[in-house]
Amino acid sequence: MDKENQFTSSAINPALSIPQLRSAFDGRVIGPEDADYGQARTVFMGGFDLRPAVIIRAANADDVARTISLAQETGLELAVRSGGHSAAGHSSSDGGIVLDLRDMKALDIDVAGRTAWAEAGLTAGEYTVATGAHGLATGFGDTGSVGIGGITLGGGVGYLVRKHGLTIDSLLAAEVVTAEGKLLHVDEEKHPDLFWAIRGGGGNFGVVTRFKFRLHVVDTIVGGMLLLPATPEVIAGFIAEAEAAPEEFSAIVNVMPAPPMPFVSAEYHGQLVVMALMAYAGDAEAGERAIAPLRSLATPIVDMVRRMRYPELYPPEEEGYHPTAVSRTMFIDTVDRSVAQTILEHLRSSTAAMRVAQLRVLGGAMARVPAEATAFAHRDSRIMVNVAAFYGPHDRVEQEAWVRGFAAALRQGDGGVYVNFLGNEGVERVRAAYPGSTWERLVAVKRRYDPANLFRLNQNIPPEG
């Protein structure tokens, strides 16, 4: 390492001398007195007003190791940030150290070999645009500003989930800095236990600085937004058609009030609609045939589905957007007319200006991976649901109660949850993300690589189980 990777009580005082830290790191060190501290401490989700003691914008893996050493020596809480989208606020810390990876954006694309080494500070949108220039892609989620670090470590459910599986199903290798400050190359042969754990187990085991992904040929797709009136028949019919569609088709179905977007007629603003975002990653004519039954469910309010380049699914996002919302995630087995009616009744009963029931049909390539192959164990789950309500300054408690009631009304036989959509919901909900023997295996890996639970600001898997 280029600089001394030691931080002892004699070298760094308890108040964290920012000038001393700046001399020890290659990347930026931002303290509370710096002009851009307010911006640097801000995360994507609103409602988190945390003030870290220091923010370290790592320039490389050596900086990551130095930050881990600093946290070990000072005993301060360590938050690791890729894109800053944690619904539980784990992307920052009150009084601790924030290790911000956003400046680590190197991307090495092997077009002929269809692989890419990507640093963890890249966003899904940045990665997708760069690989899309070659007609290639790795599946991430539905939001371009999400960091590839967080979404990958939790699983990754997006527009290619049925065709190419989860993000982790395209992960070939990774470089991980452990709690001891060691940089490990992990894959199926080297440290296979750690490689298994980081594919779904979150940031519990170290800081991933680089990912090696498989790239798939995904050039022109048939996709975009389809807005339909929200009736029980349309909702149930849409899910049925999505389940019956070829694996090339994946959709994210939002039942919600129509937002006042310029391309939505004013008469529909605030009315419940089915806003479907979809992609058919295959032959264009076959894609048009697969989407035709969806268009015929009702007269579309908006039809923006067309042939496009895959990166166009990640449009520019609004600057300064920091939503305040409460949510609940789960898996269910079916959406029939009765379930659709329940969805509509609960959405109508809410006082929130914006509320949503989001449905994602799974299966396909994701379901063909054995449950024990990765730490994401929900391979047989059929439909993922996320219900959410946005809250204002005075109604958070009310909206939390509504979300809990809505989720309870939708609950079926599948007790699992998707870890990337969890908020601060308690130990039992974290356990639900890792059912059966998955939890015990993760605890064993945690005990081996992070026995003191340094990496605890996450959906935590404690080393003592």
Side-chain angles (χ1 to χ4, degrees):
M1 293 187 179
D2 298 328
K3 299 188 179 183
E4 185 64 29
N5 186 26
Q6 287 187 352
F7 295 93
T8 63
S9 57
S10 61
I12 298 296
N13 63 41
L16 289 177
S17 166
I18 300 301
Q20 283 182 301
L21 290 177
R22 287 188 175 127
S23 68
F25 286 88
D26 297 320
R28 284 207 62 206
V29 175
I30 302 171
E33 303 303 318
D34 290 316
D36 58 346
Y37 174 78
Q39 181 179 4
R41 72 184 181 91
T42 301
V43 295
F44 174 77
M45 295 298 296
F48 298 104
D49 186 22
L50 305 179
R51 302 186 66 85
V54 64
I55 301 164
I56 298 173
R57 298 268 291 267
N60 46 45
D62 286 350
D63 274 357
V64 171
R66 294 182 190 110
T67 306
I68 289 171
S69 180
L70 176 64
Q72 296 273 28
E73 294 295 334
T74 61
L76 292 176
E77 181 178 68
L78 177 63
V80 182
R81 178 190 301 171
S82 177
H85 280 247
S86 169
H90 292 150
S91 304
S92 192
S93 168
D94 234 356
I97 300 167
V98 171
L99 170 56
D100 193 332
L101 304 175
R102 74 179 67 187
D103 291 339
M104 296 179 62
K105 294 183 181 290
L107 178 60
D108 182 11
I109 303 170
D110 180 355
V111 176
R114 292 184 186 171
T115 62
W117 273 106
E119 284 192 322
L122 285 161
T123 66
E126 291 168 340
Y127 177 102
T128 300
V129 168
T131 59
H134 306 283
L136 303 171
T138 303
F140 292 105
D142 60 336
T143 305
S145 60
V146 167
I148 66 170
I151 192 171
T152 300
L153 296 177
V157 182
Y159 294 117
L160 300 178
V161 65
R162 285 164 48 84
K163 176 62 174 175
H164 296 300
L166 303 169
T167 304
I168 55 173
D169 299 333
S170 295
L171 184 62
L172 301 173
E175 292 180 353
V176 185
V177 182
T178 67
E180 294 181 343
K182 295 180 179 178
L183 179 64
L184 302 181
H185 178 100
V186 303
D187 55 27
E188 292 283 8
E189 296 181 355
K190 300 174 183 176
H191 308 284
D193 58 339
L194 182 55
F195 186 55
W196 173 85
I198 65 170
R199 286 177 290 166
N204 275 280
F205 313 99
V207 180
V208 179
T209 56
R210 288 208 305 165
F211 299 91
K212 184 180 183 181
F213 292 112
R214 179 182 294 109
L215 288 166
H216 308 279
V217 177
V218 184
D219 193 4
T220 300
I221 64 165
V222 179
M225 178 192 296
L226 183 65
L227 209 65
L228 300 171
T231 67
E233 293 77 17
V234 168
I235 296 168
F238 198 108
I239 299 303
E241 293 292 349
E243 290 182 307
E247 291 180 2
E248 287 81 2
F249 179 81
S250 293
I252 299 171
V253 182
N254 299 289
V255 188
M256 60 189 289
M261 295 182 289
F263 51 81
V264 179
S265 176
E267 65 184 293
Y268 293 106
H269 292 179
Q271 300 298 311
L272 291 181
V273 296
V274 173
M275 179 186 287
L277 306 171
M278 63 189 76
Y280 187 96
D283 176 76
E285 292 185 2
E288 295 285 357
R289 290 194 298 271
I291 291 171
L294 302 171
R295 287 180 161 130
S296 68
L297 289 169
T299 301
I301 299 168
V302 175
D303 187 346
M304 302 176 72
V305 178
R306 58 184 174 85
R307 299 183 187 190
M308 64 172 69
R309 299 294 302 279
Y310 180 68
E312 292 182 63
L313 284 174
Y314 294 114
E317 297 178 34
E318 180 183 346
E319 286 287 334
Y321 179 57
H322 301 290
T324 54
V326 288
S327 64
R328 201 80 165 177
T329 184
M330 71 185 77
F331 297 105
I332 62 176
D333 300 318
T334 187
V335 176
D336 57 17
R337 192 184 184 285
S338 174
V339 173
Q341 184 64 44
T342 298
I343 290 172
L344 291 174
E345 289 173 355
H346 278 78
L347 289 172
R348 289 175 182 136
S349 73
S350 173
T351 60
M354 183 55 67
R355 63 274 190 197
V356 62
Q358 184 182 87
L359 311 170
R360 305 186 190 209
V361 171
L362 305 175
M366 171 192 140
R368 288 194 293 274
V369 177
E372 66 275 9
T374 67
F376 182 97
H378 310 288
R379 299 293 180 166
D380 293 332
S381 294
R382 298 184 61 183
I383 301 168
M384 186 164 72
V385 179
N386 198 44
V387 299
F390 290 69
Y391 63 86
H394 308 296
D395 66 339
R396 176 167 183 161
V397 173
E398 177 186 351
Q399 302 310 333
E400 286 177 337
W402 177 83
V403 164
R404 286 195 303 270
F406 192 178
L410 293 178
R411 189 167 294 117
Q412 297 175 9
D414 190 329
V417 299
Y418 177 43
V419 72
N420 273 353
F421 284 170
L422 280 177
N424 287 313
E425 300 173 34
V427 174
E428 289 306 312
R429 292 280 285 170
V430 179
R431 287 294 299 267
Y434 305 112
S437 62
T438 301
W439 178 261
E440 284 71 29
R441 287 182 68 182
L442 287 168
V443 169
V445 177
K446 178 74 169 182
R447 190 178 297 123
R448 178 177 181 183
Y449 291 95
D450 185 20
N453 205 11
L454 174 70
F455 304 112
R456 60 185 178 273
L457 200 59
N458 45 45
Q459 301 298 348
N460 196 233
I461 300 164
E464 68 276 8

